[in-house]
Amino acid sequence: EAGVLLPSGGETNSVVRLYQDKTVLITGAGRGIGKRLALGFGKAKARVGLLARTKAELDLADLEIEHAGGVSLRLRADVREYAQVQAAVDRVRDQYGEIHALICAAGVQGPIGAMAECSPAAWADVLQVNLVGAMHACRAVLPGMIERRQGKIILIVGGGAAEPRANFSAYASSKAALVRFAETVADEVRDA
């Protein structure tokens, strides 16, 4: 779905425009897909919560959104730490009100090579960022969305989510698990 949300041809498409004057929180907003999505939503006049670990990346993304005429809030947090994510969500709510959409784009590729040769700690860290980090963000915003009976959550997945990806076992495993996580949570809130 990320491709649907990205601006094309210099214009912001209708899906992003639906979030004008609404609040969107994006994890991994300092670079890559997360940053591109943040810029698209900023151009569409959404209020964008930029969550990332690196201050310099947050500062640059914030400046680019401001230059495009949008508004954003820099949130320095590590998605592996639930308390930091919850504090960031609380700041967004204090500044902008309720969160209308959450996009979990924070992710790392991790060790590349045969699993039998990878560092177990580096392998586990990929799951902490890609899977547990998304769970932390969802856990922090979902109660408010359920209470209001409104909101969207988009989890960015990629290579390895649907088929094996040799030499990327941690990344592929985390993204496959992220798909099942999304399906399970969707079932849990279907009638909420």
Side-chain angles (χ1 to χ4, degrees):
E1 283 197 67
V4 174
L5 297 173
L6 292 173
S8 60
E11 295 180 22
T12 306
N13 69 34
S14 60
V15 174
V16 174
R17 278 194 303 271
L18 292 174
Y19 287 89
Q20 181 176 348
D21 299 322
K22 295 202 178 346
T23 302
V24 179
L25 173 61
I26 303 172
T27 71
R31 61 182 158 169
I33 292 170
K35 183 177 178 181
R36 289 195 59 209
L37 289 167
L39 291 172
F41 279 103
K43 287 177 185 177
K45 306 300 183 214
R47 297 177 298 267
V48 184
L50 302 168
L51 192 149
R53 287 187 286 188
T54 308
K55 181 183 182 314
E57 290 177 351
L58 284 170
D59 290 345
L60 182 58
D62 180 64
L63 184 63
E64 290 179 36
I65 289 173
E66 182 182 323
H67 182 32
V71 295
S72 60
L73 178 63
R74 291 169 289 182
L75 305 157
R76 191 163 177 214
D78 185 336
V79 295
R80 295 174 294 188
E81 301 294 332
Y82 181 72
Q84 291 182 29
V85 174
Q86 184 64 63
V89 167
D90 291 344
R91 278 191 60 213
V92 172
R93 287 183 178 139
D94 289 346
Q95 182 83 23
Y96 297 142
E98 288 302 326
I99 296 168
H100 299 93
L102 166 67
I103 301 174
C104 295
V108 295
Q109 200 159 162
I112 299 170
M115 187 279 301
E117 299 170 5
C118 290
S119 156
W123 202 97
D125 190 57
V126 174
L127 270 69
Q128 285 294 312
V129 173
N130 296 357
L131 177 60
V132 176
M135 182 277 293
H136 286 162
C138 291
R139 176 63 184 87
V141 303
L142 198 52
M145 290 179 173
I146 291 170
E147 184 178 315
R148 292 186 337 270
R149 300 185 55 77
Q150 182 181 31
K152 298 287 184 196
I153 296 176
I154 298 170
L155 307 177
I156 305 295
V157 299
E163 58 190 39
R165 189 169 179 207
N167 297 312
F168 293 86
S169 63
Y171 181 79
S173 297
S174 71
K175 294 303 185 173
L178 198 55
V179 170
R180 183 51 49 97
F181 170 73
E183 293 167 342
T184 302
V185 172
D187 258 4
E188 291 174 357
V189 301
R190 187 173 319 283
D191 299 320

